[in-house]
């Protein structure tokens, strides 16, 4: 349980993934991009148990969002999702990520990744 911040620029994913997360028992705040997500974090930094972000987004990518988010709240776990190999290479060098989940993912896979990220 708890509140998740979900960030995705793809309209289909933005419409479907929050419903999947809600079916798992989470409250979800869905954002269309990094700027909107950072505004949510600035407004209420302690409101979220986990940040889930896509890697490829216009403007600020998910890795840069993760860096900014943990500067605002160092204890915030960050789960990045991506279908691109370069995201996994970049993530290997990043200390701001809790985990990276490959796309496409199943309900079971994201559920397990969230449980692991939340400890």
């Amino acid at each position: 349980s708890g509140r998740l911040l979900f960030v995705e620029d793809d309209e289909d994913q933005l419409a479907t993934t929050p419903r999947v997360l809600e079916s798992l028992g989470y409250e979800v705040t869905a954002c269309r991009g990094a700027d909107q997500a950072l505004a949510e974090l600035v407004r209420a930094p302690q409101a979220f148990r986990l940040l889930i972000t896509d890697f490829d987004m216009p403007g600020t990518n998910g890795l840069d969002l993760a860096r900014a988010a943990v500067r605002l709240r160092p204890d915030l776990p960050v789960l990045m999702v991506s279908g691109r190999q370069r995201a996994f290479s970049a993530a290997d060098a990043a200390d701001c990520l809790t985990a990276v989940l490959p796309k496409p993912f199943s309900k079971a896979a994201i559920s397990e990744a969230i449980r692991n990220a939340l400890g």
Side-chain angles (χ1 to χ4, degrees), residues 67-95:
R67 288 182 181 118
V70 298
R71 277 195 300 273
L72 287 169
R73 191 168 138 216
D75 66 329
L76 181 66
V78 179
L79 172 61
M80 190 171 71
V81 296
S82 182
R84 302 198 187 270
Q85 185 56 44
R86 69 184 173 98
F88 293 91
S89 301
D92 285 341
D95 59 356

Side-chain angles (χ1 to χ4, degrees), residues 3 8-9 16 20 24 40-41 75 77 90 101 117-119:
R3 192 166 172 202
E8 173 66 68
D9 66 309
T16 58
V20 170
L24 293 169
E40 289 286 338
L41 283 169
D75 66 329
L101 179 65
L118 294 176

Side-chain angles (χ1 to χ4, degrees), residues 1-69:
S1 66
R3 192 166 172 202
L4 309 179
L5 183 58
F6 177 74
V7 188
E8 173 66 68
D9 66 309
D10 180 270
E11 291 297 324
D12 291 336
Q13 290 289 319
L14 195 61
T16 58
T17 304
R19 287 195 306 252
V20 170
L21 298 172
E22 288 167 351
S23 77
L24 293 169
Y26 299 101
E27 291 179 55
V28 180
T29 299
C31 297
R32 209 166 247 101
D35 291 342
Q36 185 181 5
L38 285 173
E40 289 286 338
L41 283 169
V42 166
R43 187 179 58 75
Q46 297 301 318
F48 303 100
R49 288 192 65 200
L50 176 69
L51 167 62
I52 302 173
T53 183
D54 186 29
F55 174 72
D56 276 323
M57 295 185 293
T60 304
N61 69 36
L63 188 54
D64 291 335
L65 170 59
R67 288 182 181 118

